[in-house]
Amino acid sequence: YQNNVPVGTKQVIELSLTNVSENGAIINKVNISDNSLNYVIKNTLPIELPRNTQKKLILEYLPKQAGNYSTNLQLEISLIPAEN
């Protein structure tokens, strides 16, 4: 995600999560590599993501100074076995 945003104004990012596997998934935790922008996950965790569905992960952040920032998100996911 790349964007120019004003300093001191809360911003919202919506990231699409798509599950195209044969199994459902549960997102249990979201780890943020560098939280200098004070990211807040707005979703209630865990997030259930049935197979062949899409949901949004919503992040809010507040840039306090100008500059370039890079952050990685790591999702901790549990699979829900497919029913036969």
Side-chain angles (χ1 to χ4, degrees):
Y1 182 82
Q2 190 173 14
N3 200 4
N4 293 322
V5 298
V7 172
T9 303
K10 281 187 180 179
Q11 303 295 314
V12 175
I13 299 173
E14 292 186 359
L15 302 173
S16 293
L17 304 174
T18 304
N19 181 3
V20 294
S21 76
E22 294 181 10
N23 297 307
I26 297 174
I27 299 167
N28 298 301
K29 187 175 179 182
V30 178
N31 296 313
I32 301 171
S33 67
D34 173 11
N35 202 6
S36 59
L37 291 176
N38 299 312
Y39 287 100
V40 175
I41 308 295
K42 301 304 285 185
N43 303 74
T44 300
L45 295 174
I47 299 170
E48 188 169 345
L49 197 59
R51 64 188 198 117
N52 299 318
T53 62
Q54 183 177 55
K55 291 194 177 177
K56 301 271 187 200
L57 178 64
I58 302 170
L59 303 168
E60 183 180 85
Y61 67 100
L62 178 64
K64 294 183 179 177
Q65 61 185 3
N68 294 319
Y69 297 90
S70 177
T71 301
N72 293 311
L73 300 179
Q74 181 180 15
L75 306 178
E76 291 184 13
I77 299 172
S78 300
L79 293 180
I80 301 170
E83 295 180 14
N84 293 331

